[in-house]
Amino acid sequence: MLTENQLQKVKSLQGKSLLAAIGGLIVAIGWGFLNGSMFQGLLIGYLLIFALGVSSLALVMLHHLCGGSWSFVAQRIAEAGSRTLPFLALVGALVMGGALMFSTVFPWANAEFLNIEENHLIKYMSHEKEAFLNIKTFAICFVGYFAVWIGFMLAFNGWSKKLDDTGDPKYISKMKIWAGFGCVFYVLTMTFAATHWAMSTDPTFFSTIYGAWMIAGGALSMMCFCVIMLTWLSDEGPLAEKVSPQIYHHFGNFMLGFTIFWSYLSFSPFLIIWYGNLPEEIGWYLHRSGGGLAAMTVVLIVGVWFTPMYLLMMRNNKTNPNKLRKIAFYILATRVVDMYWNIAPSFENNHNTIGWGTVVSTLGAVAGIGGLWLWVFLNELKKRPILPQQDPREELMFLKEKAHNHG
Amino acid sequence: MSAHGHENDTPQVHGLIAEFDDPDTLLTATTKAHEAGYRAMDAYAPFPVHGLAEAMGVRKTYVSLVTLIGGFTGALTGFGMQYFASVMHYPYSIGGKQLNSWPAFMPITFELGILFAAFAALGSMLLFNGLPQHYHPIFNAKRFERASSDGFFLCIERTDAQYDTAQTKVFLEGLGPVEVSEVIE
Amino acid sequence: MAEASSNLRTPLILGDKKPIEVSDDICGILERKPTQLWWAAFGVSLFVLIVGAIATAYQVSTGIGTWGLNKSVGWAFDITNFVFWIGIGHAGTLISAILFLFRQRWRTSVNRAAEAMTIIAVLCAAIFPLIHMGRPWLAFWPLPYPNFRGPLWVNFRSPLVWDIFAISTYFIISSVFWYVGLIPDLATIRDRAKEGIRKKIMGILSLGWDGSYRTWVRYETVYLLLAGLATPLVVSVHTIVSMDFATSIIPGWHTTIFPPYFVAGAVFSGFAMVLLLIPIARKVMNLEDYFTMRHIDAMCKIILLTGSIVGLAYLTEFFTAAYSGSVYEQFVFMNRAFGPYAWAYWIMVSCNVISPQLMWFKRVRSNLYIVFALTIVVNIGMWFERFVIIVTSLHRDYLPSSWADYTPTIIELLTLAGTFGLFFTLFLLFCRFLPVIAMGEVKGILSYGRSKRARNVSKTCDEPVGMTPALEGEEA
């Protein structure tokens, strides 16, 4: 259980997050409406926040599949995060539904936009991809993806609750088996969802690695979010006893690993597509390599790849919670740059410019949707004890930790 | 005793060596010796014993730094070589790619970075450790062939400021060794 | 979880060994005369190697017209075998470097053998591009060196040149890593040997190692650094191998998922090969206490994981081809599954995607015979994967007039067999002359070697358990 002080802290953050949400939404919707970049910003903001919810589910499953003390202490954070999925489904339906109806965010859904002469390539490719890119399929798939995720979420949270109450090991075996299936489903649905929700904003482009790229980015966000939550909540109470520098070291290593993995998944497709130089693919990179976006690409290389990698290679930065938390905040901030770079250039009608209008509505949407999400998340977090109560594996996981620290 | 041993006209003492039964006793003994103020000493074990470095007060090594420098040197060499060859010395357009095809130069840049870093790591380890060494007096120690199998030794060297044959011997014998003996240079 | 907990309490090394017993067990193998079983295996391998060598000599002296290649299918068996062998090697680096970084302590029993396998597999792989050059004595031409042919440099934009750098770096670093790991063990052999030639050689090779702790500290740092360097290296090697295909614009080759997909496939096939060698080594050299069922179980789980990744990649490729809206992409994938080489495709799918799924079952993972059979199946499947990727993408060109089929000749088959002969010959020699198990590392994880303080934490933890119980992980 969280202590009284911590509950106060959570409550006050919830208040602040609501304020941020209101402010953010006013900017995203108000400014976005005037500027015509409302749904653009909302989509980018939504995908960033959505990644936290769905990666929480992945982390829950990963914990049961092959976790240890590091994922044990973060389990309730991840479970609470996964319970925000119904909320995310609702917001997603609003954002994407609106985007499909009232904007050119998904060009293939907008007949008027496609009929403009200079968009003939987009029109042609949209037509070629009609089987997958049409509003009906999009809607059915949207429901399908969330049905799968929410189904797994309900199952794992249910078993976890029962395990808390009974301590019966049979729930562990159940979770372990379903976690295996869950991971397979997770990768599949994420691949399709990434294609629908993000890649199709440029209907000419296709890349097999895109889904994995999104998964890697989301996992990186989730690791940073866990570190921030753990440092925030381990000042006293049950987490204070369990969270050791060793655990931060694990998280730091994962942050390093996912940073490198993300960079690998960013550079290798670029090299392949740059080399192939095929008209249907190369456009996506051309629109990100000139003018203001060229500068942004350099920012990505230096700020999203090199800086965190360099910082996280040093052991001291990973075992010191304060330093690690700062790095985690930094990486979360860079995730916004990355997601903007990934999606927004498709909206600028491919003029290689940073659309400052979209930047503002994106930041507004991140604060708006993020604030609401944080409120829901903290609400969920309060509902259950902050650590699993009767997990038979607990002793074993922490024994190792001790053996490690002493031996 | 050792393949490296050779005779010396005036045998000199290298130091006093204590043999221990297991890594734990060696660790305690080393800690105590360090606390007692001995510095010119070395522990010998068939496998790395956790905590022994701290017990001996060994400071951090420069191997990592040298490796990092090696890596950057390699990467620069790799890119430089490709740039020189493809842009300056033999500019030739292949496949419509620009002369400075930097994306295509990345793989070799990376590989040479890794290669040089590994060489730097290996080289600095050998250099700092003085390997390969042809001769070391420690091989003259009694039963030292077990140090690579199941013997645990602590040697306090004659060069230590506190070294005193009688007193150091008494000190070592108080640490629960199997045997304490002199090592001849 | 009772099952898993008891599992975690099983020691990594059975038989409650003392360090001296480890030295006796492992060095004993080298100090005894080889067994008849060893001679038999060596004889067969050597014979196959000689047959392969004759085939190679024939094709080098005659020309690679002895192969079944034609103008459409210009790459087939040779590149398939090359990628296959390189892939095999990856498991060695994975076990020695990545599992080291993840502190999976079960690796200590298998890493030496797996690293040897890596080096040997890279040697086997290197043969194929060499022969394919047609004039192997000019193999130095693709190296960038100042020459007298005008200012003539190799094309650094070519993935084949990247390959040369990647593979040779990989070979060098794997060897360095292996050798650094060997140094303390060579010192053990030196100290056990009687005066004579063995002692002389080992004395030189062990560099005068004395086990001084100042040396150990730097040694451990270097080992960690080399592991840290080998990890991105091994990923880069198969990434670059995948770029041999992916940077072209041939449908079925030009796809962005190739780099991670090739890496996962390489680890998959490599682990299958390790799991094929380990039970044999275990039986032939009585190493049941060192290669335990726990090791086999952990490796089965890695095979299951990587096999599933490979399966997901197949699906993603199909989906993206359908989504792409490119008729060429769509044609290639339909042709793979239902065209003239459909049989190869379905062998690949059933061996790589379906068969490893059996490893979900504990009963399968704990039966050595089934595991052994599955590893052979996986190796066949992974060989066919490369064959399918290479041949099916080439044999139906953009122009139907240049469509052609490919059948391997007997020479190509014998060359492939010959590399297996080379592989097993070298591996058997390694088992004879060098310690198959990293003694120094194994001694460090014996319950004897562990500090009493750690043991006092709990009786159960004389066997430390890792961050990933599912992999039966270990954490130092």
Side-chain angles (χ1 to χ4, degrees):
Chain A
M1 276 296 152
L2 292 173
T3 63
E4 272 309 309
N5 284 342
Q6 287 177 325
L7 281 174
Q8 281 302 319
K9 226 166 52 167
V10 168
K11 227 177 194 165
S12 109
L13 184 65
Q14 274 187 303
K16 283 179 204 153
S17 66
L18 270 191
L19 281 180
I22 294 168
L25 286 177
I26 290 174
V27 172
I29 296 175
W31 161 265
F33 184 75
L34 296 173
N35 182 262
S37 62
M38 177 165 91
F39 287 108
Q40 283 81 340
L42 283 175
L43 181 70
I44 299 171
Y46 174 72
L47 288 176
L48 277 164
I49 305 301
F50 159 77
L52 286 176
V54 82
S55 307
S56 297
L57 177 64
L59 183 57
V60 169
M61 298 193 290
L62 203 68
H63 170 67
H64 292 298
L65 204 59
C66 59
S69 49
W70 65 275
S71 55
F72 181 85
V73 295
Q75 198 194 338
R76 285 300 147 94
I77 297 171
E79 280 177 3
S82 72
R83 293 200 297 275
T84 62
L85 277 168
F87 162 78
L88 287 167
L90 181 71
V91 178
L94 290 173
V95 168
M96 282 185 244
L100 285 168
M101 310 260 211
F102 306 115
S103 77
T104 57
V105 165
F106 297 108
W108 47 267
N110 192 310
E112 239 170 86
F113 179 79
L114 292 183
N115 280 331
I116 299 169
E117 187 58 35
E118 64 177 283
N119 295 338
H120 69 276
L121 182 64
I122 301 179
K123 182 180 182 179
Y124 173 74
M125 292 310 290
S126 300
H127 181 69
E128 286 294 313
K129 295 176 184 182
E130 220 170 12
F132 195 68
L133 296 185
N134 63 71
I135 293 181
K136 207 165 146 196
T137 314
F138 189 97
I140 293 171
C141 288
F142 183 91
V143 174
Y145 306 143
F146 272 104
V148 171
W149 297 327
I150 292 177
F152 275 105
M153 178 275 278
L154 289 174
F156 277 97
N157 279 282
W159 289 324
S160 172
K161 177 102 178 57
K162 281 188 185 141
L163 185 66
D164 259 12
D165 296 341
T166 63
D168 189 343
K170 80 173 181 205
Y171 295 111
I172 290 185
S173 325
K174 243 184 200 161
M175 287 194 273
K176 198 167 181 178
I177 291 167
W178 280 98
F181 291 112
C183 287
V184 174
F185 274 108
Y186 173 72
V187 175
L188 269 184
T189 47
M190 279 300 285
T191 304
F192 298 142
T195 307
H196 253 151
W197 301 352
M199 196 159 80
S200 82
T201 53
D202 182 348
T204 54
F205 182 63
F206 60 92
S207 168
T208 29
I209 203 60
Y210 200 83
W213 194 12
M214 286 281 161
I215 291 175
L220 179 60
S221 301
M222 186 58 203
M223 289 296 159
C224 297
F225 184 72
C226 283
V227 166
I228 292 167
M229 278 293 138
L230 285 177
T231 47
W232 191 54
L233 291 172
S234 61
D235 52 343
E236 54 182 49
L239 277 180
E241 294 165 24
K242 294 279 179 195
V243 181
S244 59
Q246 198 52 52
I247 283 179
Y248 289 117
H249 193 198
H250 280 319
F251 274 102
N253 282 338
F254 276 110
M255 281 156 66
L256 174 64
F258 280 116
T259 299
I260 295 174
F261 187 53
W262 172 87
S263 326
Y264 171 64
L265 293 186
S266 305
F267 182 72
S268 60
F270 163 65
L271 181 53
I272 289 169
I273 288 174
W274 170 83
Y275 217 115
N277 208 13
L278 292 174
E280 63 265 33
E281 296 172 336
I282 193 69
W284 199 85
Y285 283 102
L286 282 178
H287 307 146
R288 283 157 182 77
S289 59
L293 278 152
M296 203 165 181
T297 308
V298 175
V299 169
L300 279 183
I301 294 171
V302 178
V304 187
W305 168 62
F306 187 78
T307 311
M309 185 182 75
Y310 182 76
L311 291 174
L312 287 168
M313 278 205 289
M314 280 176 274
R315 189 192 162 91
N316 187 22
N317 284 343
K318 289 182 278 195
T319 47
N320 181 331
N322 287 325
K323 287 184 180 168
L324 192 64
R325 187 182 53 201
K326 280 179 196 148
I327 298 173
F329 270 118
Y330 170 76
I331 293 179
L332 276 185
T334 62
R335 297 288 312 130
V336 182
V337 185
D338 172 43
M339 194 60 96
Y340 180 90
W341 182 90
N342 198 312
I343 296 175
S346 309
F347 303 143
E348 303 306 327
N349 223 356
N350 308 332
H351 289 310
N352 270 329
T353 46
I354 297 177
W356 292 106
T358 317
V359 171
V360 173
S361 47
T362 300
L363 292 176
V366 170
I369 300 175
L372 282 180
W373 181 83
L374 192 62
W375 191 87
V376 178
F377 166 79
L378 291 172
N379 213 30
E380 292 296 332
L381 191 68
K382 282 193 291 191
K383 284 184 186 164
R384 291 192 181 181
I386 195 67
L387 281 174
Q389 298 297 295
Q390 296 198 52
D391 195 326
R393 293 167 296 183
E394 180 182 346
E395 193 195 358
L396 212 61
M397 286 169 175
F398 283 89
L399 269 182
K400 293 173 236 165
E401 220 43 81
K402 277 183 192 153
H404 188 146
N405 292 339
H406 296 260
Chain B
M1 208 87 251
S2 147
H4 305 273
H6 65 91
E7 293 305 313
N8 215 323
D9 294 341
T10 51
Q12 258 199 330
V13 176
H14 172 67
L16 274 166
I17 194 164
E19 185 189 349
F20 298 94
D21 245 350
D22 58 89
D24 294 337
T25 334
L26 173 64
L27 186 58
T28 331
T30 313
T31 316
K32 282 188 183 151
H34 193 260
E35 279 166 4
Y38 288 105
R39 289 297 176 270
M41 60 174 177
D42 212 338
Y44 298 85
F47 52 85
V49 179
H50 205 88
L52 201 49
E54 290 81 357
M56 273 171 57
V58 173
R59 268 164 304 168
K60 66 171 218 161
T61 74
Y62 291 99
V63 172
S64 315
L65 185 68
V66 176
T67 309
L68 190 71
I69 295 170
F72 278 115
T73 316
L76 281 177
T77 311
F79 194 83
M81 170 183 72
Q82 297 177 82
Y83 189 87
F84 169 76
S86 314
V87 180
M88 294 152 74
H89 205 217
Y90 183 54
Y92 196 80
S93 172
I94 297 164
K97 299 278 180 279
Q98 64 267 42
L99 289 179
N100 177 18
S101 306
W102 63 269
F105 296 163
M106 285 303 131
I108 293 179
T109 306
F110 178 83
E111 297 300 328
L112 284 189
I114 296 278
L115 185 69
F116 278 42
F119 280 154
L122 179 72
S124 61
M125 188 269 276
L126 294 179
L127 191 73
F128 291 148
N129 281 339
L131 294 175
Q133 57 182 2
H134 175 61
Y135 170 77
H136 195 281
I138 199 72
F139 284 106
N140 297 334
K142 230 180 180 180
R143 283 211 296 261
F144 193 74
E145 75 280 2
R146 293 185 60 198
S148 64
S149 199
D150 69 337
F152 302 87
F153 297 84
L154 178 67
C155 179
I156 296 181
E157 286 150 30
R158 189 174 46 90
T159 50
D160 192 87
Q162 283 193 39
Y163 185 86
D164 174 281
T165 314
Q167 269 182 17
T168 307
K169 189 162 186 182
V170 173
F171 173 77
L172 280 174
E173 274 165 353
L175 297 174
V178 182
E179 195 182 340
V180 177
S181 53
E182 272 192 345
V183 184
I184 305 301
E185 191 112 319
Chain C
M1 217 50 206
E3 163 215 293
S5 317
S6 66
N7 217 341
L8 293 168
R9 288 182 170 88
T10 330
L12 279 169
I13 307 297
L14 301 175
D16 203 17
K17 306 240 184 238
K18 296 242 174 340
I20 187 74
E21 293 172 66
V22 174
S23 305
D24 286 343
D25 285 351
I26 312 298
C27 296
I29 300 168
L30 317 175
E31 289 156 2
R32 280 191 298 270
K33 287 225 163 5
T35 57
Q36 285 182 335
L37 206 58
W38 185 88
W39 277 115
F42 186 72
V44 173
S45 311
L46 197 64
F47 173 75
V48 178
L49 169 62
I50 290 169
V51 171
I54 293 169
T56 310
Y58 173 73
Q59 61 198 294
V60 168
S61 55
T62 314
I64 53 169
T66 53
W67 293 358
L69 300 178
N70 50 55
K71 67 180 166 53
S72 296
V73 187
W75 271 6
F77 240 60
D78 47 336
I79 305 295
T80 302
N81 298 340
F82 165 73
V83 181
F84 173 76
W85 279 118
I86 287 285
I88 295 289
H90 279 36
T93 320
L94 189 99
I95 289 175
S96 50
I98 300 182
L99 296 187
F100 180 76
L101 296 181
F102 274 99
R103 301 178 186 283
Q104 299 281 319
R105 299 186 72 185
W106 58 266
R107 68 179 266 291
T108 48
S109 291
V110 287
N111 69 335
R112 174 70 43 73
E115 285 166 32
M117 183 194 78
T118 295
I119 296 169
I120 298 168
V122 174
L123 281 177
C124 292
I127 288 175
F128 290 97
L130 267 182
I131 309 175
H132 200 173
M133 287 175 178
R135 287 177 287 174
W137 52 93
L138 297 177
F140 60 92
W141 275 9
L143 297 174
Y145 60 96
N147 54 58
F148 294 105
R149 286 172 237 127
L152 181 65
W153 287 90
V154 292
N155 176 19
F156 286 113
R157 298 167 195 88
S158 164
L160 300 181
V161 174
W162 306 347
D163 253 355
I164 289 170
F165 279 87
I167 306 288
S168 46
T169 303
Y170 186 47
F171 181 74
I172 292 168
I173 293 198
S174 302
S175 313
V176 165
F177 199 47
W178 189 59
Y179 179 63
V180 168
L182 266 170
I183 293 174
D185 284 1
L186 295 176
T188 308
I189 304 179
R190 172 200 68 200
D191 291 346
R192 286 171 60 97
K194 297 184 189 66
E195 293 295 337
I197 182 84
R198 182 196 287 268
K199 193 167 186 106
K200 283 252 158 56
I201 292 175
M202 291 301 171
I204 293 167
L205 288 179
S206 62
L207 306 176
W209 177 269
D210 55 11
S212 138
Y213 213 75
R214 286 174 210 283
T215 311
W216 270 120
V217 171
R218 295 194 191 96
Y219 173 88
E220 283 201 288
T221 312
V222 157
Y223 201 78
L224 181 69
L225 285 171
L226 285 177
L229 291 169
T231 304
L233 175 69
V234 70
V235 173
S236 81
V237 169
H238 231 63
T239 297
I240 289 173
V241 169
S242 81
M243 300 259 182
D244 292 349
F245 307 103
T247 54
S248 73
I249 51 166
I250 290 172
W253 285 7
H254 180 72
T255 174
T256 51
I257 207 172
F258 257 32
Y261 153 52
F262 265 54
V263 174
V267 172
F268 180 51
S269 66
F271 265 92
M273 191 58 106
V274 178
L275 257 186
L276 189 105
L277 290 175
I278 293 293
I280 300 177
R282 174 178 198 263
K283 264 255 128 38
V284 174
M285 294 182 288
N286 300 322
L287 291 171
E288 277 91 347
D289 288 343
Y290 296 90
F291 300 136
T292 64
M293 287 313 285
R294 247 186 86 180
H295 296 108
I296 289 163
D297 192 69
M299 286 192 275
C300 282
K301 284 174 179 162
I302 294 184
I303 290 187
L304 176 60
L305 171 75
T306 45
S308 304
I309 295 177
V310 167
L312 284 170
Y314 293 163
L315 263 172
T316 311
E317 273 192 315
F318 244 95
F319 164 69
T320 309
Y323 171 78
S324 70
S326 154
V327 284
Y328 302 108
E329 287 280 336
Q330 288 160 358
F331 172 78
V332 160
F333 282 93
M334 290 313 276
N335 183 47
R336 262 186 202 174
F338 305 108
Y341 288 100
W343 56 273
Y345 182 81
W346 293 109
I347 288 178
M348 166 188 108
V349 170
S350 36
C351 292
N352 288 350
V353 185
I354 299 165
S355 75
Q357 301 303 323
L358 289 174
M359 288 180 174
W360 280 102
F361 302 103
K362 176 102 193 156
R363 216 178 296 161
V364 171
R365 295 197 304 268
S366 52
N367 185 326
L368 252 186
Y369 295 99
I370 303 184
V371 169
F372 190 74
L374 278 178
T375 59
I376 295 176
V377 166
V378 167
N379 270 311
I380 293 173
M382 281 310 291
W383 188 89
F384 269 102
E385 180 193 295
R386 281 67 176 247
F387 181 80
V388 166
I389 291 175
I390 293 166
V391 174
T392 62
S393 303
L394 289 174
H395 80 129
R396 292 288 177 264
D397 210 337
Y398 285 104
L399 287 174
S401 60
S402 55
W403 287 7
D405 288 346
Y406 164 80
T407 345
T409 63
I410 186 79
I411 293 293
E412 288 172 287
L413 291 167
L414 288 179
T415 317
L416 173 61
T419 50
F420 276 95
L422 176 66
F423 181 77
F424 285 106
T425 307
L426 291 178
F427 193 79
L428 286 164
L429 285 175
F430 153 72
C431 292
R432 262 317 295 160
F433 292 107
L434 291 169
V436 254
I437 283 175
M439 292 183 278
E441 288 189 48
V442 163
K443 285 173 193 168
I445 60 160
L446 295 175
S447 39
Y448 167 88
R450 293 197 53 76
S451 108
K452 275 176 191 152
R453 284 171 304 148
R455 253 180 289 165
N456 288 342
V457 172
S458 159
K459 289 265 182 272
T460 55
C461 111
D462 58 352
E463 192 281 322
V465 197
M467 49 192 271
T468 53
L471 299 175
E472 313 294 10
E474 294 306 313
E475 180 174 310

Short mmCIF file of all heavy atoms in Angstrom, two decimals, chain A residues 17 88 117 149 153 166 176 180 196 215 218 220-221 235 237 245 256 261 267 293-294 346 382:
data_model
loop_
_atom_site.label_atom_id
_atom_site.label_comp_id
_atom_site.label_asym_id
_atom_site.label_seq_id
_atom_site.Cartn_x
_atom_site.Cartn_y
_atom_site.Cartn_z
N SER A 17 -2.17 17.26 -13.04
CA SER A 17 -2.25 16.67 -14.37
C SER A 17 -3.57 17.07 -15.03
O SER A 17 -3.61 17.26 -16.25
CB SER A 17 -2.10 15.15 -14.31
OG SER A 17 -3.18 14.57 -13.64
N LEU A 88 -7.71 4.70 -23.34
CA LEU A 88 -6.99 4.98 -24.58
C LEU A 88 -7.83 4.60 -25.79
O LEU A 88 -7.75 5.25 -26.85
CB LEU A 88 -5.65 4.24 -24.60
CG LEU A 88 -4.60 4.84 -23.66
CD1 LEU A 88 -3.43 3.88 -23.48
CD2 LEU A 88 -4.10 6.17 -24.19
N GLU A 117 -4.56 17.57 -58.25
CA GLU A 117 -3.69 17.03 -59.30
C GLU A 117 -2.33 16.57 -58.77
O GLU A 117 -1.86 15.48 -59.09
CB GLU A 117 -3.51 18.09 -60.38
CG GLU A 117 -2.76 17.62 -61.61
CD GLU A 117 -3.42 16.42 -62.28
OE1 GLU A 117 -4.67 16.32 -62.29
OE2 GLU A 117 -2.67 15.57 -62.79
N TRP A 149 -6.08 -6.41 -26.86
CA TRP A 149 -5.29 -5.84 -25.76
C TRP A 149 -6.10 -5.79 -24.47
O TRP A 149 -5.61 -6.17 -23.41
CB TRP A 149 -4.81 -4.43 -26.13
CG TRP A 149 -3.90 -4.41 -27.30
CD1 TRP A 149 -3.00 -5.38 -27.65
CD2 TRP A 149 -3.79 -3.38 -28.31
NE1 TRP A 149 -2.35 -5.02 -28.80
CE2 TRP A 149 -2.80 -3.81 -29.23
CE3 TRP A 149 -4.42 -2.16 -28.51
CZ2 TRP A 149 -2.43 -3.05 -30.33
CZ3 TRP A 149 -4.04 -1.41 -29.61
CH2 TRP A 149 -3.07 -1.84 -30.52
N MET A 153 -5.47 -7.61 -21.03
CA MET A 153 -5.34 -6.76 -19.85
C MET A 153 -6.26 -7.26 -18.74
O MET A 153 -5.84 -7.45 -17.59
CB MET A 153 -5.69 -5.32 -20.24
CG MET A 153 -5.66 -4.31 -19.14
SD MET A 153 -7.19 -4.24 -18.21
CE MET A 153 -8.17 -3.20 -19.27
N THR A 166 -5.11 -15.08 -2.91
CA THR A 166 -4.96 -16.47 -2.50
C THR A 166 -3.51 -16.93 -2.40
O THR A 166 -3.20 -17.82 -1.62
CB THR A 166 -5.65 -17.40 -3.52
OG1 THR A 166 -4.97 -17.22 -4.78
CG2 THR A 166 -7.11 -17.05 -3.69
N LYS A 176 1.98 -17.35 -16.95
CA LYS A 176 3.19 -17.63 -17.70
C LYS A 176 2.86 -18.12 -19.10
O LYS A 176 3.43 -17.67 -20.08
CB LYS A 176 4.03 -18.67 -16.95
CG LYS A 176 5.46 -18.71 -17.39
CD LYS A 176 6.30 -19.50 -16.43
CE LYS A 176 7.73 -19.49 -16.91
NZ LYS A 176 8.62 -20.20 -16.01
N GLY A 180 3.13 -15.95 -22.99
CA GLY A 180 3.78 -16.38 -24.24
C GLY A 180 2.91 -16.05 -25.43
O GLY A 180 3.35 -15.40 -26.39
N HIS A 196 -1.61 0.89 -39.81
CA HIS A 196 -2.84 1.65 -39.97
C HIS A 196 -2.74 3.07 -39.45
O HIS A 196 -3.12 4.01 -40.12
CB HIS A 196 -3.97 0.93 -39.21
CG HIS A 196 -4.92 0.25 -40.14
ND1 HIS A 196 -5.61 -0.88 -39.78
CD2 HIS A 196 -5.32 0.53 -41.40
CE1 HIS A 196 -6.38 -1.27 -40.78
NE2 HIS A 196 -6.21 -0.45 -41.78
N ILE A 215 7.31 -0.45 -31.70
CA ILE A 215 7.36 -1.22 -30.46
C ILE A 215 8.59 -0.82 -29.65
O ILE A 215 8.53 -0.60 -28.44
CB ILE A 215 7.38 -2.74 -30.76
CG1 ILE A 215 6.03 -3.17 -31.32
CG2 ILE A 215 7.70 -3.53 -29.49
CD1 ILE A 215 5.98 -4.60 -31.76
N GLY A 218 8.10 2.58 -28.07
CA GLY A 218 7.17 2.49 -26.95
C GLY A 218 7.81 1.85 -25.73
O GLY A 218 7.63 2.31 -24.60
N LEU A 220 10.92 1.85 -24.96
CA LEU A 220 11.86 2.82 -24.38
C LEU A 220 11.11 3.81 -23.50
O LEU A 220 11.52 4.09 -22.36
CB LEU A 220 12.60 3.53 -25.52
CG LEU A 220 13.61 4.59 -25.13
CD1 LEU A 220 14.69 3.97 -24.26
CD2 LEU A 220 14.25 5.20 -26.37
N SER A 221 9.97 4.34 -24.01
CA SER A 221 9.17 5.27 -23.21
C SER A 221 8.76 4.61 -21.90
O SER A 221 8.83 5.22 -20.83
CB SER A 221 7.89 5.66 -23.96
OG SER A 221 8.19 6.24 -25.17
N ASP A 235 10.31 6.72 -1.99
CA ASP A 235 10.87 7.50 -0.89
C ASP A 235 10.50 6.87 0.44
O ASP A 235 11.24 6.98 1.41
CB ASP A 235 10.37 8.95 -0.97
CG ASP A 235 8.85 9.03 -1.08
OD1 ASP A 235 8.23 8.00 -1.40
OD2 ASP A 235 8.29 10.11 -0.84
N GLY A 237 7.55 3.65 2.39
CA GLY A 237 6.59 2.60 2.12
C GLY A 237 7.24 1.35 1.56
O GLY A 237 8.46 1.23 1.59
N PRO A 245 19.75 0.08 -5.80
CA PRO A 245 20.51 0.57 -6.97
C PRO A 245 20.62 -0.49 -8.06
O PRO A 245 20.64 -0.16 -9.24
CB PRO A 245 21.89 0.89 -6.38
CG PRO A 245 21.65 1.11 -4.95
CD PRO A 245 20.49 0.26 -4.56
N LEU A 256 19.33 1.70 -22.08
CA LEU A 256 20.44 1.69 -23.04
C LEU A 256 20.14 0.75 -24.18
O LEU A 256 20.30 1.09 -25.36
CB LEU A 256 21.73 1.27 -22.32
CG LEU A 256 22.96 1.07 -23.19
CD1 LEU A 256 23.37 2.38 -23.84
CD2 LEU A 256 24.13 0.53 -22.38
N PHE A 261 18.65 -0.27 -29.73
CA PHE A 261 17.76 -1.04 -30.62
C PHE A 261 16.96 -0.08 -31.50
O PHE A 261 16.83 -0.29 -32.71
CB PHE A 261 16.84 -1.90 -29.76
CG PHE A 261 15.99 -2.87 -30.55
CD1 PHE A 261 16.56 -3.74 -31.45
CD2 PHE A 261 14.62 -2.92 -30.37
CE1 PHE A 261 15.80 -4.64 -32.17
CE2 PHE A 261 13.83 -3.82 -31.08
CZ PHE A 261 14.42 -4.66 -31.99
N PHE A 267 18.29 3.30 -38.35
CA PHE A 267 19.32 3.46 -39.38
C PHE A 267 19.24 2.39 -40.46
O PHE A 267 19.37 2.69 -41.64
CB PHE A 267 20.72 3.49 -38.77
CG PHE A 267 21.79 3.71 -39.80
CD1 PHE A 267 21.94 4.95 -40.40
CD2 PHE A 267 22.60 2.67 -40.23
CE1 PHE A 267 22.89 5.16 -41.38
CE2 PHE A 267 23.55 2.87 -41.21
CZ PHE A 267 23.70 4.12 -41.78
N LEU A 293 13.83 19.98 -41.65
CA LEU A 293 13.81 18.59 -41.19
C LEU A 293 15.18 17.96 -41.21
O LEU A 293 15.44 17.02 -40.46
CB LEU A 293 12.82 17.79 -42.02
CG LEU A 293 11.42 18.03 -41.45
CD1 LEU A 293 10.37 17.88 -42.49
CD2 LEU A 293 11.19 17.11 -40.27
N ALA A 294 16.07 18.47 -42.09
CA ALA A 294 17.44 17.96 -42.07
C ALA A 294 18.06 18.28 -40.71
O ALA A 294 18.72 17.44 -40.09
CB ALA A 294 18.26 18.57 -43.18
N SER A 346 4.77 13.97 -43.16
CA SER A 346 3.77 13.54 -44.14
C SER A 346 2.64 14.55 -44.25
O SER A 346 1.95 14.61 -45.26
CB SER A 346 3.19 12.18 -43.75
OG SER A 346 4.22 11.26 -43.49
N LYS A 382 -3.78 3.75 -7.48
CA LYS A 382 -4.21 3.81 -6.08
C LYS A 382 -5.07 2.61 -5.69
O LYS A 382 -5.17 2.28 -4.53
CB LYS A 382 -5.03 5.10 -5.86
CG LYS A 382 -4.18 6.34 -5.73
CD LYS A 382 -5.00 7.51 -5.21
CE LYS A 382 -6.01 7.98 -6.23
NZ LYS A 382 -6.65 9.25 -5.89
#
